[in-house]
Amino acid sequence: MDSLGPPQSAASQKEGQDVKASPAHSTLALVEQNLEETDPWDLPELKDTGVPWSALDTKGKVQRVVVSVLKFVILLGLLYMFICSLDILSSAFQLVGGRAAGDIFQDNSVLSNPLAGLVIGVLVTLLVQSSSTSSSIVVSMVSSGILTVQVAVPIIMGTNIGTSVTNTLVAMTQAGDRSTFRRAFAGATVHDFFNWLSVLVLLPLEAATGYLYVVTELIIDSFQIQSGDAPDLLNVITDVLTEAIIQLDDSVLGDIASGGSEARNKSMIKRWCQTQFNTTLQNVTVPGPENCTSPAFCWVDGNITVTLKNVSEEYNTQKCRHLFVDVNLSDLAVGLILLALSLLVLCSCLVCIVKLLNSMLKGQVASVIKKILNTDFPFPFGWVTGYIAIIVGAGMTFIVQSSSVFTSAITPLVGIGVISLERAYPLSLGSNIGTTTTAILAAMASPGERLANALQIALVHFLFNISGIILWYPIPFTRLPIRLAKGLGNITANYRWFAAVYIISCFLVLPLLVFSLSLAGWKVLVGVGVPVVVMLITVAVINVLQRRKPGCLPSGLQSWDFLPLWAHSLDPWDKLVGAFTAKCCCCCKCCQVSNDNQAHEVQEIVEQSTDIHKEVYDNPAMAVEKEVENEIKIELDILKITQL
């Protein structure tokens, strides 16, 4: 077929082909090139859109200062409500799943398996949403002799993993903006990856050598440690509000885990806050004369031996003052109510905090804060900056007495670009250390006979986190959690539904699967687990070689194209999720349209009925016949509409 345009020479045709094939002359290529040059992990510029300070008059300056102070006060109030909602959320999870957590801890035969103990630590911390609570249960069981320290070590590792889910859930609230969600989810999951990688290395090491147990035992034996009182820092402020809403009896979970039968029927909601013991001298029946307090106070009447003893009876003197003290509801019902309310307040406060920070952190204020938080010390002391951040994270966590609160607070800051991921990583590591120092101080408040075991468990938690930092922080090459978090952040930014898949898989499905295999015995666990682990390691190695040295691999393994598309790409799954959500939305809209149409048709029937009534009123002779026909017609039409 002849060309419709003018004839061209061979040289001009070749030149045209070259121009056409050149990516530099393609608009799409230019756009892609610009996108590649922009690093999505660069901190965004928080521009000041307001009037410059120098351009304001006296009234405008005073107004800006007053508004800034009010915003700061509101921000402090929102942070206070955010922390209190996390505390209430922990109490709600304890009411909902606390008894199940206590029952899980009670099965000692399962706990003797290190992997099962690890998974139980994860699941129990997920149920109660507090590593402090789950750790205190473990400490009480060790102190009472139900568990040995060796058995409790994997459980403590599991609590370290379980507590990191809170800030991951907080990151989900920032899924509205793609770039913000990328940074926020990576900032939250860098904590997860650190905990998981530390467990992958230290759990086998502990099972083989008892490293954590031996070192902490040497520390306990080397120092003469006396018991003391754990300080209350931020709790002094937050307890004013949280204790006015709900108060829990912390001893109930420990009693259930210890096998106490009376604790099963006891409510976890604290009813009486003050009790009094009254000691009286009473006649008490004892098995024999050898059980008498004194020969002078011992009487034998046949087979009955009676003696005088001091008997102490506990009397409730003052009720607690919180909203649910006189509410006649079960623990589960109260827990569900508090769960819904605390989640509502938590998400609302978080959204308001992010909006408020975006309005406050602009211009010079933003640049100053970003420089303070993200700038390293001058050479050759740049390496010190990360360790200062670890100390700051530990100190802040010690003040708020909760790693979940601290990491959940910095997650929005990472999302909006105030804190870089590289700086959030050492802050998260410091929060791990800070929460263990709180546990150490709490253990030091134990009685003298329980002090050694309680303190050793707390030191195990501390040494576990220190060992993890030594593994995954000092050398930049070993900072794998940052690279893994960035990779996951890129995935979740493109496929936001994958964030929910990650949370459900890592914190629910995987622990339950490992726990089920542990119950089946070592043979089943090794037979299933070892091939899966070998396959995952092989896939990871092939992925690394495909990116860096594909020539080392056979031609068939230089890419995963030989597999079905759904096996090596998330695009088919994304289309499936998109189609499913679109269908659900369509069904909802259709239902709404159908309801509107039904209402419109019923309205028309009613209007027709009104017209017929008017005709009947004008002609009374037709009244009875028309009325019966009209009512039958209306009932049939409405029945037909409802069936449709």
Side-chain angles (χ1 to χ4, degrees):
M1 184 176 180
D2 296 336
S3 174
L4 296 176
Q8 296 179 352
S9 63
S12 62
Q13 289 178 358
K14 183 177 181 181
E15 182 181 357
Q17 290 176 358
D18 292 339
V19 171
K20 185 177 180 180
S22 175
H25 294 80
S26 172
T27 305
L28 180 60
L30 289 174
V31 173
E32 291 179 350
Q33 184 177 358
N34 291 331
L35 290 176
E36 289 177 359
E37 292 176 356
T38 304
D39 188 0
W41 296 103
D42 287 341
L43 296 182
E45 292 293 335
L46 302 176
K47 298 181 180 179
D48 191 1
T49 57
V51 181
W53 177 264
S54 58
L56 293 173
D57 57 5
T58 304
K59 182 180 178 181
K61 291 180 179 179
V62 172
Q63 184 178 1
R64 176 169 292 186
V65 170
V66 172
V67 171
S68 300
V69 171
L70 287 177
K71 285 183 177 181
F72 182 72
V73 172
I74 294 173
L75 179 63
L76 291 179
L78 290 172
L79 285 173
Y80 178 78
M81 293 298 297
F82 176 74
I83 295 171
C84 290
S85 64
L86 282 175
D87 195 355
I88 298 297
L89 182 67
S90 174
S91 299
F93 273 108
Q94 290 181 50
L95 289 170
V96 173
R99 296 185 184 278
D103 291 336
I104 290 174
F105 272 130
Q106 195 175 353
D107 195 349
N108 297 335
S109 59
V110 176
L111 294 176
S112 59
N113 185 338
L115 277 177
L118 173 74
V119 172
I120 286 174
V122 175
L123 294 176
V124 169
T125 308
L126 288 177
L127 287 174
V128 300
Q129 276 296 290
S130 172
S131 60
S132 300
T133 301
S134 53
S135 299
S136 63
I137 296 175
V138 177
V139 169
S140 64
M141 295 180 70
V142 172
S143 301
S144 59
I146 297 176
L147 289 179
T148 62
V149 177
Q150 296 96 322
V151 171
V153 170
I155 305 176
I156 291 295
M157 294 183 184
T159 61
N160 214 57
I161 294 175
T163 191
S164 62
V165 71
T166 307
N167 57 326
T168 309
L169 294 174
V170 168
M172 294 286 289
T173 61
Q174 296 186 279
D177 182 75
R178 190 180 301 275
S179 298
T180 301
F181 186 50
R182 175 189 281 111
R183 290 189 295 268
F185 201 77
T189 53
V190 71
H191 193 196
D192 304 349
F193 284 119
F194 169 78
N195 290 329
W196 281 109
L197 290 173
S198 299
V199 166
L200 287 176
V201 175
L202 295 177
L203 182 62
L205 180 64
E206 176 66 20
T209 64
Y211 153 69
L212 296 174
Y213 173 77
V214 172
V215 174
T216 53
E217 188 178 34
L218 290 175
I219 295 175
I220 295 295
D221 294 339
S222 300
F223 294 95
Q224 298 294 329
I225 302 174
Q226 297 179 354
S227 61
D229 294 327
D232 287 330
L233 299 175
L234 191 68
N235 290 344
V236 176
I237 304 174
T238 58
D239 285 349
V240 176
L241 178 61
T242 56
E243 289 186 355
I245 299 174
I246 189 67
Q247 295 183 39
L248 301 184
D249 189 352
D250 296 330
S251 62
V252 175
L253 284 181
D255 293 340
I256 293 176
S258 302
S261 57
E262 297 180 358
R264 293 185 173 278
N265 300 322
K266 188 177 180 181
S267 174
M268 292 181 61
I269 301 174
K270 201 172 185 179
R271 310 286 183 183
W272 298 92
C273 286
Q274 287 187 6
T275 58
Q276 184 178 355
F277 289 91
N278 188 17
T279 303
T280 57
L281 195 63
Q282 297 181 8
N283 290 330
V284 179
T285 303
V286 294
E290 65 277 2
N291 301 108
C292 293
T293 56
S294 173
F297 302 105
C298 192
W299 299 274
V300 179
D301 185 9
N303 295 328
I304 300 175
T305 303
V306 180
T307 187
L308 283 176
K309 277 188 175 182
N310 289 324
V311 179
S312 297
E313 296 182 357
E314 183 179 5
Y315 296 93
N316 297 319
T317 57
Q318 182 178 346
K319 269 193 171 184
C320 299
R321 297 179 180 178
H322 58 86
L323 294 179
F324 296 93
V325 66
D326 293 321
V327 175
N328 190 18
L329 293 175
S330 64
D331 288 359
L332 179 61
V334 174
L336 291 176
I337 293 172
L338 291 177
L339 183 64
L341 293 178
S342 60
L343 285 174
L344 178 62
V345 174
L346 178 71
C347 296
S348 301
C349 288
L350 188 63
V351 171
C352 294
I353 287 172
V354 172
K355 296 292 185 183
L356 200 58
L357 286 174
N358 280 325
S359 66
M360 293 175 64
L361 301 178
K362 294 179 179 179
Q364 295 181 354
V365 177
S367 62
V368 170
I369 293 177
K370 288 171 68 174
K371 285 181 180 178
I372 293 175
L373 293 177
N374 301 307
T375 304
D376 294 335
F377 287 113
F379 181 82
F381 301 105
W383 59 273
V384 179
T385 311
Y387 296 97
I388 298 295
I390 292 176
I391 296 174
V392 170
M396 294 298 296
T397 306
F398 177 74
I399 291 174
V400 300
Q401 294 190 338
S402 173
S403 60
S404 299
V405 170
F406 178 71
T407 54
S408 299
I410 67 173
T411 296
L413 298 178
V414 178
I416 64 176
V418 176
I419 301 178
S420 65
L421 182 61
E422 287 76 12
R423 186 65 73 241
Y425 179 51
L427 289 172
S428 299
L429 302 186
S431 72
N432 276 2
I433 297 177
T435 193
T436 59
T437 56
T438 305
I440 291 173
L441 291 173
M444 292 182 67
S446 302
E449 67 276 5
R450 301 180 180 178
L451 177 61
N453 288 334
L455 193 56
Q456 186 174 359
I457 285 296
L459 287 176
V460 164
H461 199 183
F462 177 77
L463 185 60
F464 168 76
N465 285 296
I466 291 293
S467 302
I469 292 174
I470 294 174
L471 284 172
W472 308 115
Y473 187 74
I475 306 174
F477 175 77
T478 61
R479 294 173 188 174
L480 291 178
I482 294 179
R483 293 199 289 273
L484 293 174
K486 283 186 175 182
L488 184 60
N490 289 328
I491 293 175
T492 53
N494 295 324
Y495 311 99
R496 302 184 194 185
W497 52 268
F498 191 77
V501 174
Y502 164 79
I503 294 174
I504 295 173
S505 300
C506 288
F507 294 101
L508 190 62
V509 176
L510 180 61
L512 288 175
L513 180 62
V514 175
F515 183 68
S516 302
L517 294 175
S518 300
L519 292 178
W522 275 104
K523 295 181 179 179
V524 177
L525 181 62
V526 172
V528 176
V530 170
V532 172
V533 171
V534 171
M535 181 184 70
L536 292 176
I537 294 175
T538 304
V539 170
V541 172
I542 293 176
N543 275 329
V544 173
L545 292 177
Q546 284 177 351
R547 293 178 181 178
R548 298 188 177 183
K549 293 185 178 181
C552 298
L553 295 172
S555 58
L557 288 178
Q558 291 182 2
S559 69
W560 297 109
D561 294 339
F562 64 92
L563 294 175
L565 185 61
W566 59 265
H568 64 91
S569 175
L570 291 176
D571 287 335
W573 299 101
D574 186 56
K575 293 179 181 178
L576 181 64
V577 172
F580 178 76
T581 53
K583 186 175 182 180
C584 291
C585 294
C586 182
C587 290
C588 293
K589 291 179 181 178
C590 290
C591 291
Q592 182 66 30
V593 172
S594 178
N595 291 333
D596 294 340
N597 292 336
Q598 288 182 14
H600 181 67
E601 291 179 9
V602 170
Q603 181 66 26
E604 289 180 352
I605 293 173
V606 172
E607 290 175 358
Q608 291 176 5
S609 173
T610 304
D611 296 336
I612 293 174
H613 275 290
K614 186 176 180 180
E615 293 177 5
V616 171
Y617 181 79
D618 295 335
N619 190 0
M622 300 172 59
V624 177
E625 182 178 357
K626 285 286 185 182
E627 185 72 23
V628 172
E629 291 178 359
N630 180 41
E631 291 183 359
I632 294 174
K633 182 177 182 299
I634 290 174
E635 291 178 0
L636 290 174
D637 289 341
I638 293 177
L639 179 62
K640 186 184 298 182
I641 292 173
T642 55
Q643 288 177 349
L644 292 174

